[in-house]
């Protein structure tokens, strides 16, 4: 796959690119700022009505703003680090991620909310290791594939080691349980292996095996089965297993073309659960209508397309690791955004996945911003090499 891409394109010697791709930078900034506005709009009623927040309407806005500032500072910091350093650190970061996933399962250490143990309490904030693991999976899978390019056609040498590692991560995630993060991380690993040139027949067999495994995981878990049945007909039990989806669909229906106006959502008034996290898009649909939803879709589409473009350019410059990292981040953002949007629109079963770059959540925003910093670094190094500069 990589060698074919390199043969198909050439870098012109007269190209003088900008420092950074504006079509990569500004859609990301727009999503972050748009998310800040919509998190405030979606959370103001919940914050005002909760004793936990001190009845402060701006509680979630302030926390999200702080997380966003920390994330942007982290993005600027990681942008200064050359990709070769990330490649050297990738296995160790992955081991750190596995350790955190194991620690969160230890009783009296990991924090349990609504039957899921996914958070490590760190004083004023909670760390969600699965969010960091998505980033570490991108870095590790890209490093593994770059080192194993010659073995990508081999089942034993190319596929089995990665499969065993991902099985370990998957087992830890399913113990939390965090099925959504498991799906995203598997898609990242599979996508990077595919882009790295894994044997097509092996990839097809693997895809079929994973599909059967997902069906088995759903069928053997009563609460996952209930979510599937609720997804198929949410109105049959609109006050039970179909509650979240039915109210999300009501929000989309009320929004119509141009929405009811920013801040005027009714569903966020204690009807739609997790309005500022998992179902932020439903609030956008109600307040800004189809136009607002399409704006979000276009921004994500542009961001993912430019991530893949940066990755392809890195491959043309024979920087395999950077190319796979950029495309892996594109897969991550694209798959997670697609799942979240599908859940909000009733196209996919309800799953606890946030909208990247937009939804409330400190660990998610931090991981997303760090990924953006690394992605921009890939683009920066591409352009520096095209100008003949060392990186």
């Amino acid at each position: 796959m990589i060698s074919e891409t390199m043969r198909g394109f050439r870098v012109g010697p007269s190209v003088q690119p900008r420092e950074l791709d504006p079509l990569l930078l500004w859609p990301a900034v727009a999503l972050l700022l748009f998310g800040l506005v919509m998190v405030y709009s979606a959370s103001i009623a919940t914050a005002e009505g909760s004793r936990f927040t001190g009845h402060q309407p701006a509680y979630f806005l302030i926390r999200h703003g702080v997380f966003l500032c920390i994330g942007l500072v982290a993005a600027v910091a990681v942008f200064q680090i050359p990709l070769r350093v990330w490649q050297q650190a990738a296995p160790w970061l992955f081991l750190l991620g596995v350790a955190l996933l194991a620690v969160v399962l230890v009783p009296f250490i990991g924090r349990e909310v609504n039957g899921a143990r996914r958070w490590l309490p760190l004083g004023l904030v909670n760390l969600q290791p699965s969010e960091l693991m998505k980033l570490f999976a991108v870095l590790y899978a890209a490093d593994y594939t770059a080192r194993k390019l010659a073995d990508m056609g081999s089942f034993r040498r190319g596929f089995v080691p990665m499969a065993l590692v991902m099985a370990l991560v998957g087992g830890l995630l399913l113990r939390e349980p965090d099925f959504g993060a498991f799906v995203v991380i598997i898609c990242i690993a599979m996508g990077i292996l595919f882009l790295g040139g894994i044997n097509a027949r092996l990839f097809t067999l693997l895809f079929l095996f994973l599909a059967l495994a997902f069906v088995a995981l759903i069928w053997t878990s009563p609460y996952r089965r209930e979510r599937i049945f609720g997804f198929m007909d949410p109105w049959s039990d609109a006050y039970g297993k179909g509650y979240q989806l039915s109210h999300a669909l009501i929000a989309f229906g009320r929004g119509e073309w141009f929405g009811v106006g920013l801040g005027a959502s009714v569903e966020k008034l204690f009807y739609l659960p997790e309005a500022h996290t998992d179902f932020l898009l439903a609030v956008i649909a109600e307040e800004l209508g189809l136009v607002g939803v399409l704006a979000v879709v276009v921004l994500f589409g542009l961001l993912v397309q430019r991530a893949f473009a940066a990755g392809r350019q890195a491959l043309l410059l024979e920087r395999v690791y950077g190319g796979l990292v950029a495309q892996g981040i594109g897969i991550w953002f694209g798959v997670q955004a697609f799942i979240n949007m599908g859940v909000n629109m009733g196209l996919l079963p309800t799953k606890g996945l946030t909208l990247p770059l937009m939804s409330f959540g400190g660990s998610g925003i931090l991981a997303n911003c760090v990924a953006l910093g690394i992605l921009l670094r890939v683009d920066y190094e591409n352009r520096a090499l095209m100008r003949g500069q060392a990186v």
Side-chain angles (χ1 to χ4, degrees):
M1 178 75 66
I2 291 175
S3 60
E4 292 174 359
T5 302
M6 290 179 179
R7 285 197 299 267
F9 299 89
R10 292 292 182 270
V11 179
S14 61
V15 174
Q16 294 296 326
R18 303 180 184 182
E19 289 287 329
L20 290 173
D21 181 1
L23 293 179
L24 175 60
L25 175 62
W26 294 116
V29 172
L31 286 168
L32 290 169
L33 296 179
F34 190 18
L36 181 65
V37 173
M38 294 310 304
V39 162
Y40 180 48
S41 178
S43 66
I44 186 170
T46 302
E48 194 172 22
S50 173
R51 289 182 298 174
F52 173 77
T53 64
H55 303 287
Q56 296 296 321
Y59 177 85
F60 291 105
L61 170 66
I62 294 171
R63 288 179 69 86
H64 191 73
V66 170
F67 294 146
L68 185 55
C69 290
I70 294 172
L72 292 175
V73 170
V76 173
V78 301
F79 177 78
Q80 312 302 320
I81 302 174
L83 282 175
R84 63 179 180 275
V85 176
W86 288 109
Q87 185 170 11
Q88 293 166 0
W92 303 106
L93 291 173
F94 189 80
L95 288 175
L96 172 63
V98 172
L100 290 174
L101 289 179
V103 169
V104 81
L105 296 174
V106 177
F108 307 110
I109 295 181
R111 182 185 178 193
E112 185 173 339
V113 178
N114 296 328
R117 191 183 297 273
R118 302 176 185 175
W119 297 270
L120 291 173
L122 301 176
L124 297 176
V125 298
N126 294 313
L127 176 67
Q128 189 171 356
S130 60
E131 292 294 339
L132 299 181
M133 196 65 209
K134 295 170 188 174
L135 173 62
F136 298 159
V138 170
L139 299 175
Y140 176 76
D143 173 56
Y144 175 88
T145 305
R147 288 187 286 106
K148 294 272 191 175
L149 280 179
D151 297 322
M152 281 294 102
S154 169
F155 175 79
R156 182 174 62 85
R157 296 189 304 275
F159 168 70
V160 170
M162 175 63 78
L164 292 175
V165 168
M166 289 302 157
L168 171 62
V169 173
L172 292 172
L173 288 170
L174 292 176
R175 286 289 303 276
E176 294 184 3
D178 194 344
F179 189 70
F182 172 61
V183 171
V184 172
I185 289 173
I186 291 299
C187 288
I188 290 170
M190 288 280 293
I192 290 177
L193 286 176
F194 176 76
L195 294 169
I198 193 171
N199 181 277
R201 181 179 299 177
L202 176 61
F203 183 84
T204 302
L205 292 174
L206 177 61
F207 179 82
L208 293 175
F209 170 77
L210 286 174
L212 293 174
F214 284 142
V215 171
L217 285 171
I218 292 170
W219 192 254
T220 56
S221 174
Y223 86 93
R224 292 193 184 107
R225 285 205 310 271
E226 289 180 5
R227 284 191 172 185
I228 292 293
F229 294 145
F231 153 73
M232 294 173 65
D233 186 7
W235 307 108
S236 64
D237 188 9
Y239 292 100
K241 58 191 175 185
Y243 183 81
Q244 291 174 304
L245 179 54
S246 61
H247 280 280
L249 294 176
I250 290 171
F252 271 85
R254 291 193 74 243
E256 298 185 349
W257 288 97
F258 300 103
V260 297
L262 183 62
S265 167
V266 171
E267 286 300 315
K268 70 184 181 185
L269 303 179
F270 305 101
Y271 293 105
L272 183 62
E274 310 297 338
H276 58 300
T277 56
D278 299 352
F279 286 91
L280 185 66
L281 188 71
V283 177
I284 294 173
E286 185 178 4
E287 296 189 346
L288 304 179
L290 178 63
V291 173
V293 173
L294 286 179
V296 173
V297 172
V298 169
L299 288 172
F300 270 111
L302 186 56
L303 178 62
V304 171
Q305 189 274 328
R306 296 316 299 167
F308 271 82
R312 186 182 69 175
Q313 188 66 65
L315 297 177
L316 302 182
L317 296 167
E318 300 185 359
R319 298 175 62 82
V320 176
Y321 178 72
L324 293 176
V325 165
Q327 294 178 341
I329 293 172
I331 292 171
W332 168 15
F333 287 171
V335 167
Q336 186 165 332
F338 175 80
I339 294 175
N340 178 272
M341 292 176 186
V343 167
N344 275 254
M345 297 178 188
L347 301 176
L348 294 173
T350 303
K351 192 66 236 133
L353 272 179
T354 57
L355 191 59
L357 304 172
M358 297 188 70
S359 292
F360 176 82
S363 300
I365 286 293
L366 177 61
N368 293 163
C369 288
V370 170
L372 283 176
I374 296 174
L375 179 57
L376 289 169
R377 180 71 194 192
V378 174
D379 182 61
Y380 172 79
E381 291 192 6
N382 289 347
R383 292 162 184 267
L385 286 172
M386 292 169 67
R387 290 192 300 268
Q389 299 174 355
V391 293

